Amino acid sequence: MPSLDDVTRPPGRPPRILYGGDWNPEQWPEETWTEDVRLMRRAGVTSVTLGVFSWARIEPSPGKREFDWLDRLMDLTHTHGIGVVLATPTSSPPPWMGRLHPETLPRDEDGRTEWWGSRQHFSHSSEVYRQYAASITEDLAARYAGHPALTMWHINNEYCTYDWGDEAARTFRRWLQDRYGTLDALNTAWGTDFWSQRYGDWAEVLPPRRAHYLKNPAHVLDFRRYTSDQLLACYRAERDIVRRHTPDLPVTTNFMPFWSGQDGWTWAAEEDLVSVDVYPDPRDPGSAAYNAMIGDLTRSQAGGGPWMVMEQAAGAVNWRGVNHPKPYGLNRLWALQAIAHGADAVCYFQWRQSRQGAEKFHSGMLGHAGERGRVFQETVRIGEDLARLGPRVAGSRVTTGIAVLHDWNSWWAGDQEGALSRRVDHAEIVGAWHRALWDAHLPASFAHPHHDLGCHRLVLVPHLYLLDDTAIDNLVAYVRGGGTLVCGFLTGIADQDDRVRPGGMDARLRELLGIDLLQEWWPLDEGEHVDCGTFRGTLWSEELIAAPGAETVAAYRGGELDGLPAVLRNGRARYLTTLPEPAALSRLLSAVAEEAGVRPVVDGLPADVEAVRRGDLLFLLRHGHDPVTVTLPGRHRDLLTGTEIAGALKLERYGVAVLEVSGAQVPEPADAGTREEHGPGARPVPEGRR
């Protein structure tokens, strides 16, 4: 697999990891620019993103263009050997657009206009907005297509805008007509005979605006699908323009981590490189596992290939109730954790911390304390680490034998007002299952339920409330083909239109999982538990009758469900009717993984030490304050320090070691599984055309 800069790397120069971040020099006097690039060189920065929020500077009035300042910046970065990720500035239109064209402004569910003065204030459905966005993208691409500093394109920024206004109503109807063809088909899909909602004219169909009581969940589900598609259409339009001018350069846009607003699988297939912004709370003890999950998901969206951290914080953010800085060493640890999980680019928002505006208390690689500050000193150290690792790491892959299934359509469908329990949260359940694997030191990938699952020895379905027929047939075929499957509660309850399946669960799944009859769902209150013998269950329970031949692995004790299955096994398939407490879930999944032939990368690891095998390198990451000792077979060399390790390795607080290993000493997870090959894949990303 080529590294991110293989496309145009000059002969003789080894691969390296992209390192840098958003640079917003238009906020500063021009004499600061030269000082910035000097410090960038000192820190080992190889890439900067320019122009993300520069629309008003480039186009101060309709049709006028001012590129001189950007010309000088492009030339300056090239002179100092720094590549440019050039952004289209379309996430934040200038004030004049909203003033002259109020139809370009989005409206909320109550019809209130979202005005300029912040960002993301555009209606994705406005033809006027799209025309202006295409025009500035065209001129930007034409001007800089041949510039030697340009390495890749960054379209818009964190697409997240919802719109319930008249512009959205117009395009929502068109989207529905394309999807269903006729009003009769729409009425059937939405079940509009309930509460006399049946539509007789397309003009009656609106976005799901503020309602007196519960909204139609199928209506809301389609609106979320539509919004994702509308934003994707905006991305595609700009992407196609820059591709026409620079067909050899990759194009991306930055996802927000595990966010419900976009169908991430569909979006990733449209990108040349998958990139993500990730901002865990340094005070949250679960942040290390969360980072690992985001890395695994993003890598999987990239088809197992390299991916990019587009944004993270060098220190504190500014949008939590209390914004804590990162203790010394944590920034480095999390940067290297991303590399361990497959990233070939580690970047930040932003390079120099702003002195004005809404994010002046959001940290930068170069903080208010300047080059003597601790944050910048750590920035330099990370750059040194990445320079050492680049030639050995860039382009290599992470291998796993476990896939966690996730689908945005199911997330949207399950997140409805009329659900049996508001406590059931898709993201939290998926996070709990992935955390259970992380605690057991079992590396994992993610997959869509339509993907070819045969490359994984173990497939987990934490929570897929909605499954279409293709997905269900895929799961059945996977188990019949010899795979091991574990499903969580509320799996396969609804079809693609959020219509409850006959019997409360699809019949093919009931047969696969060994369920004769699903009697009742018994959601649990906050603080309520069920006794399952060897563990306690939380959040949910179910009253079901097992089919003949199915084995009750764990049964409920006491209460209404006494003696009924809490964990049911039918051959190579298991079904959990509750959410075991964290330690119990980790033990359960670890035992199933071992049975399926999947084992930890390193046996006997201390808690909060993460081991990830990437290519022929073993990353060991200490997510904790106290030093620990890791026992390892054989001899190894730490690429970060150059020291030889024999038998045992001491990891200090937030310590990292990257070891050269042999397959006999530390077997790859692929020995017990195979690497992921689904998904869109990723094109190589150049570091510079120099």
Side-chain angles (χ1 to χ4, degrees), residues 398-578:
V398 177
T399 50
T400 74
I402 302 174
V404 179
L405 299 196
H406 163 64
D407 176 32
W408 271 267
N409 283 268
S410 182
W411 188 354
W412 297 333
D415 183 20
Q416 57 183 268
E417 296 172 292
L420 286 169
S421 173
R422 301 285 179 87
R423 297 185 61 231
V424 174
D425 182 278
H426 174 87
E428 290 182 3
I429 295 171
V430 172
W433 281 54
H434 187 278
R435 174 63 189 263
L437 295 174
W438 191 85
D439 285 340
H441 308 291
L442 291 167
S445 300
F446 280 80
H448 186 277
H450 288 182
H451 283 160
D452 178 5
L453 304 176
C455 58
H456 301 283
R457 287 183 178 265
L458 173 61
V459 168
L460 306 179
V461 184
H463 184 235
L464 286 179
Y465 160 83
L466 180 154
L467 283 174
D468 62 18
D469 290 342
T470 301
I472 292 171
D473 289 340
N474 198 30
L475 292 178
V476 172
Y478 169 73
V479 175
R480 288 178 178 171
T484 299
L485 177 71
V486 182
C487 291
F489 60 84
L490 282 178
T491 295
I493 304 304
D495 66 10
Q496 68 276 3
D497 295 323
D498 193 24
R499 183 184 295 108
V500 176
R501 298 276 188 175
M505 177 189 283
D506 184 85
R508 289 160 293 179
L509 278 180
R510 295 202 306 272
E511 180 181 356
L512 180 68
L513 299 172
I515 299 171
D516 179 52
L517 183 65
L518 180 59
Q519 298 269 32
E520 288 286 350
W521 295 297
W522 291 80
L524 303 178
D525 288 323
E526 184 77 37
E528 185 180 6
H529 298 83
V530 284
D531 184 354
C532 302
T534 58
F535 66 89
R536 294 200 308 174
T538 67
L539 192 65
W540 193 264
S541 58
E542 291 182 355
E543 179 183 353
L544 62 80
I545 298 174
E551 174 192 358
T552 298
V553 177
Y556 292 111
R557 292 184 177 180
E560 195 73 28
L561 306 182
D562 185 49
L564 295 180
V567 179
L568 187 65
R569 177 174 182 172
N570 188 41
R572 303 183 71 89
R574 290 170 175 80
Y575 182 63
L576 278 60
T577 67
T578 188

Side-chain angles (χ1 to χ4, degrees), residues 205-272:
V205 181
L206 296 171
R209 295 170 177 166
R210 184 71 60 191
H212 183 73
Y213 187 41
L214 302 179
K215 300 173 187 175
N216 184 335
H219 185 178
V220 176
L221 172 60
D222 268 346
F223 184 71
R224 299 191 75 168
R225 288 167 170 158
Y226 149 84
T227 298
S228 179
D229 285 353
Q230 281 295 102
L231 290 170
L232 183 57
C234 292
Y235 166 78
R236 283 175 177 150
E238 295 180 37
R239 178 205 62 189
D240 291 348
I241 291 171
V242 301
R243 271 188 180 171
R244 177 161 39 82
H245 288 274
T246 54
D248 59 320
L249 294 186
V251 187
T252 189
T253 189
N254 49 334
F255 294 151
M256 289 182 286
F258 206 41
W259 184 62
S260 66
Q262 298 162 301
D263 183 344
W265 295 113
T266 301
W267 277 71
E270 300 286 347
E271 292 187 290
D272 299 318

Side-chain angles (χ1 to χ4, degrees), residues 164-166 168-177 180 182-184 186-187 190 192 197-209 219 222-223:
W164 286 264
D166 293 340
R170 173 180 55 82
T171 55
F172 185 42
R173 295 185 195 106
R174 189 168 61 205
W175 184 91
L176 292 169
Q177 288 169 343
Y180 296 108
T182 66
L183 272 175
D184 284 343
L186 171 72
N187 283 314
W190 285 9
T192 54
Q197 295 174 356
R198 190 169 186 85
Y199 296 100
D201 191 295
W202 284 105
E204 298 165 1
V205 181
L206 296 171
R209 295 170 177 166
H219 185 178
D222 268 346
F223 184 71

Side-chain angles (χ1 to χ4, degrees), residues 57-201:
R57 178 63 71 96
I58 294 173
E59 189 174 12
S61 59
K64 184 178 180 181
R65 296 288 186 265
E66 291 186 359
F67 284 121
D68 289 352
W69 64 278
L70 190 52
D71 292 343
R72 296 194 295 277
L73 285 166
M74 295 289 287
D75 293 344
L76 181 64
T77 54
H78 175 60
T79 299
H80 288 81
I82 299 169
V84 172
V85 178
L86 191 55
T88 62
T90 51
S91 68
S92 192
W96 57 255
M97 188 182 299
R99 179 177 62 85
L100 297 176
H101 305 285
E103 71 274 20
T104 65
L105 298 169
R107 295 184 186 178
D108 67 13
E109 292 175 271
D110 290 319
R112 295 172 299 192
T113 299
E114 295 184 357
W115 300 95
W116 60 88
S118 182
R119 66 182 206 186
Q120 261 83 28
H121 50 281
F122 63 89
S123 168
H124 48 59
S125 298
S126 166
E127 291 297 334
V128 173
Y129 164 77
R130 291 195 182 196
Q131 289 167 8
Y132 276 116
S135 177
I136 197 166
T137 300
E138 181 75 40
D139 290 351
L140 195 71
R143 189 173 189 91
Y144 297 110
H147 200 287
L150 180 62
T151 62
M152 60 185 289
W153 289 99
H154 172 12
I155 304 298
N156 201 279
N157 182 74
E158 294 183 338
Y159 279 103
C160 61
T161 307
Y162 277 79
D163 183 17
W164 286 264
D166 293 340
E167 294 292 296
R170 173 180 55 82
T171 55
F172 185 42
R173 295 185 195 106
R174 189 168 61 205
W175 184 91
L176 292 169
Q177 288 169 343
D178 290 341
R179 183 176 178 87
Y180 296 108
T182 66
L183 272 175
D184 284 343
L186 171 72
N187 283 314
T188 299
W190 285 9
T192 54
D193 284 322
F194 184 81
W195 281 351
S196 187
Q197 295 174 356
R198 190 169 186 85
Y199 296 100
D201 191 295

Side-chain angles (χ1 to χ4, degrees), residues 332-387:
R332 174 179 181 260
L333 173 64
W334 285 355
L336 294 176
Q337 185 186 23
I339 300 299
H341 283 266
D344 269 12
V346 172
C347 299
Y348 292 80
F349 180 84
Q350 56 182 326
W351 162 251
R352 181 184 283 270
Q353 190 170 8
S354 298
R355 292 181 60 196
Q356 293 179 292
E359 292 181 318
K360 58 181 173 293
F361 295 117
H362 188 297
S363 59
M365 300 170 76
L366 179 65
H368 291 314
E371 63 180 302
R372 294 177 55 203
R374 177 174 67 79
V375 171
F376 182 72
Q377 296 303 315
E378 195 161 14
T379 294
V380 173
R381 186 185 183 193
I382 294 169
E384 292 170 349
D385 287 336
L386 298 182

